[in-house]
Amino acid sequence: MVELARYRPERCIIVIFGASGDLTQRKLAPALYNLAREDLLPEGTVLVGYGRTPMTDEAFRNRLGESISRFSRTQPIETDVWETLAGRVFYQQGAYDEAEGYRHLHRRMEDMDGRLGTGGNRVFYLSVPPVVVVPILHNLSAAGSLARRRQCDEDSTCYLRVVFEKPFGHDLGSARSLNAEIDRLLEESQVFRMDHYLGKETVQNIGVLRFANSIFEHVWKSESVRWVRVTVAETLGMEGRGGYFDSTGILRDILQNHVLQLLTLVTMEPPASLEADAVRDEKVKVLRCLRRLEGHEVRRSVARGQYGRGTINGQQVPAYREEEGVDPHSDTETFVGLRTYIDNWRWAGVPIYLCAGKRLAEGLVEVSVEFKEVPGILFGAVHGRQLKPNRLTVRIQPNEGVSLRFASKVPGLGLELRNVEMDFPYGSAFPAASPEAYERLLLDVMGGNSALFARRDEVELAWEFASGILEAWQKEPPPDFPNYAPGTWGPIPSEQFFAEHTSYAAPSPDSP
Ligand SMILES: NC(=O)c1ccc[n+]([C@@H]2O[C@H](COP(=O)([O-])OP(=O)(O)OC[C@H]3O[C@@H](n4cnc5c(N)ncnc54)[C@H](OP(=O)(O)O)[C@@H]3O)[C@@H](O)[C@H]2O)c1
């Protein structure tokens, strides 16, 4: 929500730890290239890859060049842009838990400050699995590369920021201890906890839709809203991530972060300003009021599932337990659907449905707000029977956009009513290609704007919510997995499940 022109970050050295990995190739390198192409990357910015894989500077450059050719959203690659950027790309080989590599890195960065004018500015991007995050912080600190306040020789305004990829902890305890470790070494303003969903254009548009239009705010409350639903659904299965996913599950991997982040944006109060802490204060208030589901309530209000073998889009797919890297007896959930409430004045009594799953009927990320039905006085039993209530849907992906369902008279002499859909497709309304989430987020890190990053209390409150469910699950044997077929909307809810107030409404391509 911040205007790009508002700041132009100072050039810096970006060090990517785990630079041989998938995220660097697919997202980070293409994002940096596209920022350079748009003239948004501060001129003279240096990129250093760090990792155990032995590579020369030249080999790393070639590797990034190939990744950019393959994954950049803009094609063909502009050779002059890439060559200018490539001239400032370097690689430092080193272990994550040994001091030597960090000492070399420190010396090289100091040398670059002198030769390339990076002025002591640093962004450390931890694009590594969680096990090596704390060792990296400790070793950077021991090498003198990490500091709460950067003492710069010539310029007192130089900055040091650290980006943490998800997952941020495995549960409440591990998130708290990671935060405590970070707190020992860094100021909160130096910490950028990544949730790349927040960098998506359509997610940022949620705030604009709500607070730059006057018509929605009046009905955005329990008096008018029947329910709110956030869905993150994939048709894909494990795609080679089975080993990681099997120790994680969909609740930790998707619901605890992406789904709750979307929910807070849709339900928060208008912030006092667009400053990072003003926005995050409001998001935190939602998480504080989000009703915890614990003990017996979990059985009543949370459904967990795991997909079996079956067909999706005409193709035979393996069961979750048959996926590569997955324990054949695994009880890890690949679906979670739940109902809870936000116990504050605005949302009291409005069911909040959260759903995330793999191998579901459709791949979509969307937020829906369904409004209350009109009294059936004028268009009652006869004409209104087929009508569905108004529903506003924000489609995050695919087909990014917003649609509103409402009732209309079918042309003719009789009085027949039907639901119709008013649709705003982002892509055709604004033909210019949207930047990738990582472009926006990297620029924000360099500019020191943390509005689109999770604050410490936000992450811990989200884990508190998830932990109540995880603990209840640990005490109860899981349902008889697998319990849903690929290409469906997950396990069939039990009789009690979602029975209160409204029936569970899985998103379906139902006619308007
Ligand atoms: N890929 C994505 O699209 C994506 C999306 C969202 C979040 N993330 C998160 O971003 C981080 C990086 O993702 P990624 O897909 O690039 O991960 P990755 O390919 O599994 O790992 C990145 C690099 O870390 C090093 N590494 C891997 N396993 C290690 C281990 N057990 N101990 C020490 N070093 C290890 C390897 O580099 P060296 O062997 O050269 O040291 C590897 O190339 C992860 O935390 C991931 O959860 C990724």
Side-chain angles (χ1 to χ4, degrees):
M1 286 199 269
V2 171
E3 190 54 46
L4 286 182
R6 266 182 56 185
Y7 56 78
R8 187 159 264 274
E10 296 285 318
R11 71 173 65 169
C12 65
I13 300 176
I14 302 174
V15 183
I16 302 180
F17 291 89
S20 59
D22 183 64
L23 185 69
T24 305
Q25 321 309 315
R26 276 176 193 276
K27 299 290 181 191
L28 302 182
L32 288 168
Y33 161 77
N34 278 301
L35 286 175
R37 188 181 156 275
E38 305 273 337
D39 202 21
L40 290 168
L41 189 70
E43 207 187 327
T45 295
V46 171
L47 174 62
V48 180
Y50 185 102
R52 300 169 303 183
T53 306
M55 255 189 289
T56 60
D57 291 340
E58 198 55 38
F60 184 54
R61 272 175 212 142
N62 292 339
R63 193 179 174 123
L64 293 196
E66 281 163 28
S67 311
I68 289 165
S69 303
R70 219 170 132 207
F71 298 115
S72 166
R73 68 177 169 84
T74 57
Q75 297 287 350
I77 298 306
E78 292 180 21
T79 320
D80 53 334
V81 174
W82 166 236
E83 281 176 359
T84 309
L85 184 60
R88 298 190 306 271
V89 169
F90 306 92
Y91 186 77
Q92 176 64 52
Q93 199 231 326
Y96 298 109
D97 53 357
E98 288 169 17
E100 197 190 344
Y102 296 87
R103 283 199 292 268
H104 283 301
L105 176 67
H106 188 78
R107 280 199 296 274
R108 278 185 91 176
M109 290 191 295
E110 287 195 328
D111 174 55
M112 285 170 192
D113 283 341
R115 275 189 313 113
L116 304 173
T118 38
N121 296 322
R122 309 276 186 265
V123 169
F124 295 124
Y125 198 118
L126 309 192
S127 178
V128 285
V131 283
V132 285
V133 166
V134 172
I136 291 174
L137 290 178
H138 285 171
N139 280 292
L140 275 174
S141 174
S145 304
L146 213 58
R148 281 177 179 273
R149 303 214 189 288
R150 298 277 295 136
Q151 299 299 321
C152 297
D153 295 339
E154 291 163 24
D155 181 356
S156 61
T157 63
C158 77
Y159 61 82
L160 185 151
R161 300 184 181 123
V162 184
V163 185
F164 295 85
E165 261 298 340
K166 73 162 242 203
F168 194 89
H170 190 70
D171 53 20
L172 180 59
S174 57
R176 276 188 180 147
S177 63
L178 180 52
N179 274 329
E181 203 61 59
I182 291 170
D183 204 32
R184 255 180 4 92
L185 297 167
L186 297 164
E187 301 288 341
E188 180 64 26
S189 61
Q190 297 176 294
V191 179
F192 290 75
R193 296 175 192 82
M194 186 66 98
D195 186 326
H196 70 272
Y197 268 47
L198 296 181
K200 289 176 188 281
E201 286 285 322
T202 32
V203 173
Q204 292 167 59
N205 196 41
I206 292 173
V208 176
L209 184 78
R210 289 191 57 198
F211 305 129
N213 295 292
S214 63
I215 57 170
F216 297 114
E217 196 51 24
H218 303 291
V219 291
W220 216 254
K221 53 188 166 191
S222 59
E223 286 83 348
S224 318
V225 172
R226 193 165 169 240
W227 51 252
V228 176
R229 184 181 63 210
V230 181
T231 310
V232 176
E234 292 177 64
T235 51
L236 297 174
M238 287 304 111
E239 308 298 306
R241 287 178 76 230
Y244 162 75
F245 188 89
D246 205 33
S247 61
T248 307
I250 201 93
L251 179 70
R252 289 184 167 99
D253 196 38
I254 303 286
L255 194 130
Q256 181 274 341
N257 38 65
H258 304 322
V259 173
L260 290 184
Q261 284 290 336
L262 291 174
L263 178 68
T264 56
L265 290 174
V266 175
T267 55
M268 70 180 184
E269 295 300 315
S273 74
L274 294 181
E275 294 302 320
D277 275 334
V279 175
R280 298 190 296 184
D281 284 348
E282 297 307 329
K283 290 166 72 191
V284 159
K285 283 186 208 162
V286 172
L287 292 170
R288 280 193 205 292
C289 298
L290 188 64
R291 192 182 295 178
R292 307 280 177 267
L293 302 172
E294 287 162 352
H296 292 314
E297 189 54 41
V298 171
R299 202 181 311 146
R300 223 165 64 96
S301 300
V302 186
R304 60 177 150 163
Q306 187 192 82
Y307 60 84
R309 197 186 301 170
T311 310
I312 190 161
N313 298 332
Q315 286 209 315
Q316 190 70 25
V317 295
Y320 173 70
R321 288 173 175 174
E322 296 164 338
E323 297 263 20
E324 192 190 331
V326 173
D327 175 354
H329 304 288
S330 173
D331 283 332
T332 300
E333 82 288 353
T334 59
F335 172 93
V336 60
L338 64 85
R339 183 198 60 219
T340 186
Y341 296 87
I342 298 170
D343 292 322
N344 63 13
W345 276 59
R346 185 187 282 267
W347 295 113
V350 176
I352 306 291
Y353 295 112
L354 306 178
C355 170
K358 302 245 177 218
R359 287 274 189 241
L360 296 184
E362 269 185 86
L364 58 84
V365 179
E366 67 177 34
V367 176
S368 296
V369 176
E370 182 152 310
F371 296 93
K372 290 194 169 156
E373 286 155 320
V374 292
I377 298 167
L378 297 180
F379 307 104
V382 177
H383 304 297
R385 196 181 298 151
Q386 308 302 324
L387 287 181
K388 295 172 181 158
N390 295 129
R391 187 191 292 177
L392 186 80
T393 300
V394 180
R395 296 187 305 273
I396 312 291
Q397 67 184 45
N399 309 323
E400 292 85 343
V402 181
S403 60
L404 178 67
R405 181 172 76 189
F406 58 95
S408 176
K409 180 181 177 303
V410 178
L413 296 178
L415 184 56
E416 190 190 341
L417 304 189
R418 203 192 300 154
N419 284 116
V420 290
E421 200 91 26
M422 191 158 64
D423 198 49
F424 154 62
Y426 224 81
S428 50
F430 302 111
S434 294
E436 280 266 340
Y438 279 90
E439 293 170 38
R440 146 105 276 156
L441 296 170
L442 278 167
L443 198 61
D444 280 358
V445 173
M446 287 184 268
N449 176 17
S450 47
L452 300 178
F453 297 82
R455 203 168 60 188
R456 174 181 181 159
D457 47 357
E458 233 176 312
V459 168
E460 291 183 9
L461 284 163
W463 271 121
E464 245 179 59
F465 178 76
S467 293
I469 300 169
L470 289 166
E471 279 162 25
W473 281 355
Q474 266 165 17
K475 288 182 192 141
E476 287 226 352
D480 200 8
F481 283 166
N483 61 350
Y484 72 95
T488 66
W489 280 110
I492 297 165
S494 68
E495 273 174 28
Q496 295 100 345
F497 185 54
F498 297 131
E500 206 182 57
H501 298 296
T502 178
S503 56
Y504 173 55
S508 63
D510 56 352
S511 54

